[in-house]
Each structure stands twice: as C-alpha cells, then as structure tokens.
Amino acid sequence: MANQEDIFKKVISHAKEYGYIFQSSEIYDGLSAVYDYAQNGAELKKNIREYWWRAMVQLNKNIVGIDAAILMHPTTWKASGHVDAFNDPLIDNKDSKKRYRADVLVEDYTAKIESKIEKEVKKAAKRFGDSFDKAQFLTTNQRVVEYQKKIDAILKRLGKSLENEDLADVKALIEELGIVCPVSGSTNWTDVKQFNLMFGTKLGASADSAMDLYLRPETAQGIFVNFLNVQKTGRMKIPFGIAQTGKAFRNEIVARQFIFRMREFEQMEMQFFVKPGSQKEWYEAWKENRMKWHLSLGLGEENYRFHDHEKLAHYADAATDIEFRFPFGFKELEGIHSRTDFDLSAHEKHSGKKLQYFDHEMNESYVPYVVETSIGLDRMFLAIFSHSLQEETLENNTTRTVLKLPAVLAPTKAAVLPLVKKDGLPEVAHQIVEDLKWDFNVVYDEKDAVGRRYRRQDAVGTPFCITVDHQSLEDQTVTLRHRDTMEQQRVAISEVKGIISKEVDMKSWLIKM
Ligand code: GAP
C-alpha cells in the first residue's frame, strides 16, 4: 500500500494534470502557498460554495447572506484583537535556515505518538476480531495509556506556555522532546518569537497621506460591523444569522500541505446572533447541524471527528474543530466557536456607536452573543478531492484512476461520446449536448477509443458518460455509463436528463442533512 506522502503527492499531481489547481504564477516559478483554480477546480469550488450557501441561507429563514469588502477600516482589526493577538510563535533552525511554527512542531511530535496508538489499536482489532472493544482497549492497554498520558502532558504544557506568552518555555519543550528540524536533522534552534499574520497594504496615492490597511485575515469582521445594518434593514429577530463567503489573507509562517494552508484563501462563515445565556445551547445545535452537512456528502462518518479546544482564542468561551482525515492525518476542516459578545462589544467601544439589539419581548436592549461556524472553502475542496481520488484494481487485473466526487459537486455532470466520428453519430451527440447544456455542464468528446474516453472522464470525475452508437440512430436510445460502478444501461435519449437530474440535484443531497 502506498504511504501517506505518496498518496498526497498523487493528489497534487492529479489536481494539476486534470485542470483543477495550478501553482500561482507558475511561469515565474510560482508564489509560495498561493494557488490558482483551473477550469475544473473553479467549477468544483463554485459548487461547494453553493452547497454551503444553500444549506445556510436558502434553507434557514432566519439566516441572510452578505458580501462585505476585503478592505476595512484599520480600527476594525484593533477592535477585533488581531493587531495585538493574531500572532503565531515562530522558531528558526540555524542550520537549515528554515522557519517553523513552534506549536506545530510540538503538535507534529504528538501526532506521531497518536499514530503509534492507532497502530496498537489496529493490531489488537486484528487479534481479537469481533470481540474487540476499542473504548476498553484505549483505557486499559498499558502501552496505549502511557502514550496518551504523554500526549496530554505535552499539549497541556504547550497550551499553558502559549497562554502565558512564555515563549522561553515553548523553546524548552522543543529541546526537551528532542525535536529535530525535518530538513537539517539538527536541534540548533533560535528563540521563539511572535509574528503577526496580517498582510499590510496602503490606501491612497501619496506616501504622506496614505492610510495603513490590512487585507482581512477573516471574513467574520465584515459581518460584525454590519450587524445592525442587516438587523434593521432585514427586520431580523434574534436568534438570526448572517453568512458570507469570501477571500481572507494570512501571512502563514509554515505554508505547506498544498491548499491546506494558504496565504490567500476563501472562508465560508456564519455568525449566529443569540440572546446572552443561550449561547451554549446554540453552540451545541450548530455543532450538530454542521456535522450533518458534512455527512450529507457521503465521504464517510469515520473520516470526521470533533476536537474540542482546551486553549481558547481570545474571543471564545467554547470552541471545537471538525477534523477530517486528510492524506496526512486528521486535521482541522471547520471551526465552531462560541464568541460571546466580544466582537460586538469591542466594536462598540472602538467606534463609539451602539451595536445593540432591542428585544421587544424583554423590553430591553442588549449586545447579542455570537456562535460562529467557519470553514475554509479550499480546505473543504482538498477534503473532497483527496478522499475522492481512488485507484481501483478491476476484475481483469488492470487499474483505473477514478475521481469519485459527490455527483452533486462534480464540475461536469456528463460527457457525450459518439462511438465513431462518422455515420451521423457526432450529429446526434451534439444535439444531446445542446439539449442538456441548459441544465448541466456537459462536454463532448470524440477523440480516441471509447474505453480511453471513459477512463479520461473517470479521472476527471464526470459521473455520467452518454455513448451514442448506431443503434441510437434506429431507436433513439443511448448507453448511460455510471462512473462509480461502471455499470452501463440502455436508456431512451428522452430519459437521460431525468436520470442525471435525480443524482446531481442539490435538493436530493441536502435533504439527507
Ligand atoms: N472567523 C474565525 C476564523 O477565522 P480560523 O479557525 O482561524 O477561524 C476558520 O479559520 C477556517 O478557515 C479553518 O477551519 C480553515 O478551514 C480555514 N483556514 C484558516 N486558515 C487557513 C489557511 N491559511 N489556508 C486555508 N484555509 C484556512
């Protein structure tokens, strides 16, 4: 079996080869951690965005969507705490001159211990068969218990040192654990320093009068500063939500793992405004709702888990991550945060404007509390794409590479293939494309043998192939081939649209939530 690194390399090269993702400005050797979405990538990304937007805005009467600007008044970021606290602890290795996030070095170390636990579990499951009780094994196996104790102790100490801004202790922890630079293999580390992740820019033409701005590091603040505008003009009653999708920018220290951690990326965020005191209940409700959204796409329940935060961000009273099993292990895909009244209160203080809601039932005004759901669109793309890319061994011992994207999200829903380039078959195929293009993205392909064309569409992730042959001329039927099962059925041309619709229609997927 291929190892994780090989699988991930395959994901990256497949994304390029099949027109999903290119390195930004590749002809100039690229820009680190910045990527362009190609013809298929842009479609997949748009479909994921729409799947989120429909679930959030269209299906919830009390959630509306906005599209705030990327550039905001600089005081926004003072109020939100980003100017003072949006830092990552960085450390350099003096031999390789490579820069790392100190906390990530420690977390990678604990992840290695975690994979040892997973190995023990796998071994035991094999040994005990059906009678294996995983929960019991995790609490009673001496070796596993010791591993877990070690992980907990390390993460507790890391959390405490970061909270107390004790960067010397973070360095001491790295040294005590004997963590080496993955490039030089040495432990020759600099001190740990804080580094602000916001990108600065300027507004205005002349150097003297120019105003220092930041590119937004999260979309959420565009929602907070518009809270009252939306509430009043939309006559929204608490509890209600404001959603938006859009670009965010972070000058990440460690930008690796392809589109997992980018410097320019897109977020899909929703702030849900609630009555103070009810935030816990809404936090739990949104945890459940968001997990259901993920599961509706059918990537497998076993590939998701919650990870509750011990160390809370400066604005939160509870927080969890929905983690996904990426090719490099379980990692954060989405954050759900109970942000208290921190942001609205801070904006009230810095702007001098009231950001309160008048509750007619209670006959009083208050600053609402906020529960936020925040997911990276690019990260969701990576989760879906990497999970969908599969190598299959077929009955005749050949292999096929297939991108089993959820059909609802696939960039192209069907490829129309005339069996041969003559005898009037291309004309029929073109007519099918003309008829279907009003409802779906469809492509026409007549090059190469039909078997090769099937493989090409499998690799690009097209859920259906429609083959026109000589029989089609006689009885107006075609062969409809299903990507995942490779099953072929003979259907009337007039039925094709209905069959495809059923499988790609967003409603039939979202209703599973
Ligand atoms: N408004 C809250 C917020 O921004 P976050 O946990 O910093 O919270 C939310 O980010 C989500 O945005 C993450 O779960 C992740 O999916 C995505 N994200 C954050 N930084 C990213 C980066 N550098 N590249 C790609 N996605 C990122």
Side-chain angles (χ1 to χ4, degrees):
M1 216 183 77
N3 67 28
Q4 288 187 333
E5 211 169 300
D6 290 341
I7 293 171
F8 194 39
K9 275 190 191 149
K10 180 113 211 311
V11 167
I12 297 169
S13 65
H14 197 87
K16 179 169 180 199
E17 189 179 343
Y18 287 91
Y20 277 88
I21 295 173
F22 302 144
Q23 174 88 58
S24 158
S25 359
E26 195 188 71
I27 58 167
Y28 295 105
D29 297 332
L31 187 63
S32 164
V34 187
Y35 291 91
D36 295 340
Y37 285 85
Q39 62 279 16
N40 290 317
E43 291 287 343
L44 174 56
K45 196 175 172 197
K46 175 172 71 68
N47 292 344
I48 300 171
R49 192 190 293 113
E50 192 181 344
Y51 196 71
W52 181 88
W53 188 271
R54 286 226 198 156
M56 234 4 135
V57 181
Q58 189 175 330
L59 296 183
N60 288 296
K61 283 200 286 290
N62 59 349
I63 299 182
V64 290
I66 65 164
D67 183 11
I70 287 172
L71 299 177
M72 298 182 72
H73 192 284
T75 312
T76 308
W77 307 110
K78 186 74 193 150
S80 67
H82 284 82
V83 170
D84 299 317
F86 195 53
N87 301 317
D88 273 346
L90 69 81
I91 190 165
D92 293 293
N93 183 269
K94 293 182 197 160
D95 298 320
S96 66
K97 311 271 183 276
K98 289 276 175 205
R99 178 160 285 183
Y100 300 94
R101 255 176 69 174
D103 54 336
V104 171
L105 281 181
V106 175
E107 280 163 6
D108 283 351
Y109 181 89
T110 57
K112 279 190 194 135
I113 309 177
E114 207 166 290
S115 54
K116 285 186 187 164
I117 295 180
E118 274 181 25
K119 263 192 201 143
E120 294 291 337
V121 170
K122 258 194 198 148
K123 262 199 316 205
K126 214 167 156 191
R127 202 167 54 235
F128 295 114
D130 286 346
S131 63
F132 180 59
D133 180 341
K134 185 175 170 188
Q136 193 190 0
F137 180 77
L138 289 175
T139 49
T140 53
N141 179 279
Q142 202 50 37
R143 192 175 296 166
V144 167
V145 170
E146 286 303 320
Y147 283 149
Q148 193 56 52
K149 253 196 206 155
K150 191 168 177 191
I151 293 174
D152 293 344
I154 293 170
L155 292 181
K156 194 165 172 201
R157 177 161 159 204
L158 176 70
K160 216 168 170 183
S161 328
L162 290 175
E163 205 169 302
N164 299 337
E165 295 261 327
D166 186 354
L167 300 181
D169 192 56
V170 178
K171 182 180 181 189
L173 181 60
I174 289 171
E175 286 175 339
E176 280 166 39
L177 296 174
I179 296 175
V180 298
C181 165
V183 176
S184 68
S186 86
T187 53
N188 196 5
W189 297 111
T190 62
D191 287 342
V192 178
K193 286 185 289 235
Q194 290 290 21
F195 174 77
N196 192 289
L197 299 185
M198 283 196 293
F199 278 107
T201 186
K202 284 189 189 298
L203 179 127
S206 87
D208 326 327
S209 62
M211 189 179 192
D212 285 317
L213 297 186
Y214 297 104
L215 301 183
R216 65 180 179 195
E218 61 171 12
T219 58
Q221 298 304 325
I223 291 178
F224 288 124
V225 299
N226 278 302
F227 156 72
L228 217 49
N229 283 338
V230 174
Q231 190 271 318
K232 290 226 156 95
T233 56
R235 294 188 295 139
M236 308 300 290
K237 283 208 177 73
I238 274 185
F240 75 92
I242 306 178
Q244 82 167 321
T245 70
K247 286 279 174 108
F249 302 82
R250 295 183 189 177
N251 199 359
E252 298 283 357
I253 302 168
V254 186
R256 55 193 159 112
Q257 292 166 323
F258 194 36
I259 56 167
F260 181 81
R261 197 176 298 287
M262 302 156 88
R263 297 204 162 100
E264 174 180 342
F265 58 101
E266 190 165 336
Q267 289 186 314
M268 307 191 286
E269 298 201 294
M270 194 280 299
Q271 320 296 133
F272 200 70
F273 299 92
V274 305
K275 205 151 122 180
S278 68
Q279 70 272 21
K280 181 86 184 119
E281 192 185 312
W282 283 110
Y283 169 72
E284 294 301 335
W286 278 108
K287 268 178 82 167
E288 192 185 329
N289 179 292
R290 291 304 302 148
M291 188 56 102
K292 279 191 183 157
W293 180 84
H294 284 285
L295 297 181
S296 72
L297 284 169
L299 305 188
E301 205 171 335
E302 68 286 3
N303 293 315
Y304 298 89
R305 68 183 188 193
F306 284 112
H307 173 241
D308 295 334
H309 288 204
E310 283 196 8
K311 176 183 179 265
L312 293 170
H314 58 274
Y315 50 72
D317 71 1
T320 194
D321 295 334
I322 294 180
E323 293 188 338
F324 183 77
R325 194 197 299 268
F326 286 96
F328 36 83
F330 270 104
K331 290 270 175 285
E332 174 186 348
L333 171 58
E334 168 157 9
I336 298 159
H337 313 122
S338 174
R339 287 181 82 125
T340 69
D341 59 353
F342 173 86
D343 302 86
L344 289 180
S345 298
H347 286 306
E348 272 200 329
K349 211 160 74 207
H350 282 80
S351 66
K353 310 262 163 51
K354 274 215 172 326
L355 290 174
Q356 301 198 356
Y357 172 78
F358 182 72
D359 192 321
H360 286 276
E361 275 168 30
M362 294 168 67
N363 202 25
E364 65 174 71
S365 294
Y366 55 78
V367 177
Y369 270 45
V370 172
V371 174
E372 163 186 77
T373 73
S374 175
I375 175 167
L377 175 49
D378 314 85
R379 240 177 236 193
M380 187 63 196
F381 186 113
L382 182 61
I384 293 166
F385 192 87
S386 57
H387 176 84
S388 302
L389 185 60
Q390 297 177 19
E391 279 298 326
E392 281 182 354
T393 307
L394 305 178
E395 274 170 17
N396 60 3
N397 255 340
T398 58
T399 56
R400 73 159 181 160
T401 301
V402 53
L403 191 62
K404 290 187 170 175
L405 297 171
V408 63
L409 303 178
T412 302
K413 304 305 187 201
V416 188
L417 322 171
L419 192 61
V420 289
K421 275 191 265 183
K422 54 182 187 184
D423 303 338
L425 302 190
E427 286 76 2
V428 177
H430 279 303
Q431 188 54 51
I432 295 175
V433 169
E434 280 305 302
D435 292 344
L436 293 181
K437 76 176 187 190
W438 301 93
D439 297 283
F440 323 110
N441 278 342
V442 281
V443 294
Y444 173 87
D445 186 7
E446 59 175 24
K447 197 169 174 287
D448 300 323
V450 77
R452 285 190 68 178
R453 282 182 268 166
Y454 285 155
R455 287 289 181 278
R456 212 158 39 228
Q457 295 302 330
D458 286 346
V460 86
T462 309
F464 295 100
C465 285
I466 301 159
T467 307
V468 177
D469 55 21
H470 292 92
Q471 191 187 331
S472 311
L473 301 176
E474 287 161 25
D475 64 2
Q476 279 74 53
T477 63
V478 285
T479 301
L480 188 69
R481 177 183 181 272
H482 297 253
R483 177 198 64 197
D484 296 351
T485 56
M486 293 189 293
E487 181 204 329
Q488 303 191 9
Q489 57 179 142
R490 197 78 200 175
V491 297
I493 293 174
S494 57
E495 283 176 348
V496 169
K497 185 181 141 194
I499 298 174
I500 299 179
S501 286
K502 235 173 152 181
E503 295 216 20
V504 306
D505 179 37
M506 275 203 185
K507 179 177 172 187
S508 50
W509 289 75
L510 283 168
I511 212 143
K512 291 184 232 150
M513 268 182 77

